[in-house]
Amino acid sequence: MGVWSCPNTEEKANRLNVLMQAPILQENAMGQLYKLMGDDCLFDNIECLEEGEDIRQ
């Protein structure tokens, strides 16, 4: 397990904030989050969700 990316700059934090304001569907989430918030545990949890589900819930 590991973390390879986190919102550790103001630009990344702002991009994550904007991203979180609209639904993020399970099937698109990893691509949208990969460079902003890369974490094995987070992505494992996303994979457990149903396709079409909003991961923000």
Side-chain angles (χ1 to χ4, degrees), residues 35-49:
K35 291 185 179 180
L36 296 175
M37 190 129 185
D39 180 280
D40 286 331
C41 186
L42 172 64
F43 282 18
D44 288 347
N45 288 332
I46 290 170
E47 286 181 345
C48 290
L49 298 173

Side-chain angles (χ1 to χ4, degrees), residues 3-37:
V3 176
W4 61 88
S5 182
C6 62
N8 57 356
T9 66
E10 187 174 344
E11 178 187 349
K12 284 184 177 182
N14 288 337
R15 287 175 43 206
L16 182 60
N17 187 36
V18 168
L19 182 63
M20 294 298 290
Q21 293 184 28
I24 304 171
L25 300 180
Q26 184 270 351
E27 60 270 19
N28 302 325
M30 290 186 207
Q32 292 176 309
L33 291 171
Y34 192 85
K35 291 185 179 180
L36 296 175
M37 190 129 185

